[in-house]
Amino acid sequence: MARTNQFIKNNTFGDEVKFLVTSEDSQGKLLKAELLVKPGGGEPPSHYHPIQSETFTITSGEMNLIHNGKEIILKAGQSYTVPPNTPHKFWNGSKADAVAIVELKPALKTEFFLETLYALDKQGKTNKEGLPNLLQFSAILNETYGEFFVVGPPIFAQKFIAKVVGWFAKTIGYKGYIPFPKN
């Protein structure tokens, strides 16, 4: 479980996260983290959170965001909130580091998702896109079932992978949550 002021780093992309307010701190109402994104970094696939809002407040540099098909460039001092159930993606398209305070409401298990992906990356168990093998990723999706979906594959297929394949992966030893090693 993430701890306040815990720092995690994704070596594949150089992205860094510092947890400022955890789910435990806020009784599940908020996850607040400082996110450093290297130039060309970030860029998760276009996705949406069915019941979470996601607010980006840029503290230095610039961050690109696509929301509802429209690209926005956020600069230091600017904020933008993506409402629940709305497709979006973000990345750093500039030549300098970007730092943002990111708030997700409610917190759900987002910190578990981030910790697990970053822990697997640190262990060398991800590909060049920063993703683990299908069974491991399915176990993670099972753990965070229904919290986010990517744009593209049909929802029923994503739910099947999370529920059925993820359940199977857990029964053969894959973990849905892997804590990031203490620094």
Side-chain angles (χ1 to χ4, degrees):
M1 179 180 308
R3 301 170 314 280
T4 304
N5 294 319
Q6 178 184 4
F7 171 84
I8 63 176
K9 181 176 181 177
N10 182 303
N11 293 321
T12 299
F13 302 113
D15 295 353
E16 301 173 4
V17 173
K18 180 180 179 184
F19 294 106
L20 303 174
V21 178
T22 66
S23 179
E24 183 179 40
D25 296 337
S26 67
Q27 290 77 48
K29 294 178 183 154
L30 168 70
L31 173 62
K32 183 175 182 179
E34 180 180 73
L35 172 65
L36 179 141
V37 182
K38 297 284 185 187
E43 199 154 357
S46 188
H47 66 284
Y48 63 95
H49 311 271
I51 63 170
Q52 284 177 303
S53 65
E54 188 169 12
T55 300
F56 298 86
T57 302
I58 310 307
T59 58
S60 68
E62 297 179 357
M63 192 172 288
N64 302 62
L65 177 74
I66 292 181
H67 175 229
N68 280 336
K70 179 180 173 188
E71 185 173 347
I72 303 159
I73 298 176
L74 298 171
K75 299 178 188 254
Q78 294 182 309
S79 292
Y80 192 87
T81 299
V82 178
N85 217 28
T86 309
H88 63 284
K89 69 187 272 184
F90 65 89
W91 72 97
N92 179 353
S94 74
K95 294 183 179 171
D97 290 353
V99 179
I101 302 299
V102 180
E103 296 183 4
L104 289 119
K105 297 178 185 176
L108 303 176
K109 291 185 175 180
T110 303
E111 64 199 49
F112 294 93
F113 179 81
L114 292 171
E115 263 195 286
T116 300
L117 284 182
Y118 281 45
L120 289 166
D121 178 78
K122 185 172 181 134
Q123 295 169 12
K125 296 181 178 177
T126 59
N127 61 22
K128 64 183 179 178
E129 286 83 35
L131 295 173
N133 70 52
L134 178 62
L135 288 173
Q136 178 62 71
F137 196 62
S138 298
I140 298 166
L141 294 177
N142 181 273
E143 187 76 24
T144 59
Y145 181 76
E147 292 189 16
F148 68 91
F149 295 100
V150 295
V151 174
I155 297 300
F156 75 86
Q158 294 180 62
K159 287 182 175 183
F160 178 82
I161 290 169
K163 277 288 196 186
V164 178
V165 179
W167 169 84
F168 172 74
K170 285 177 154 184
T171 64
I172 63 170
Y174 287 91
K175 305 278 188 233
Y177 167 62
I178 300 168
F180 192 83
K182 293 183 181 179
N183 299 334

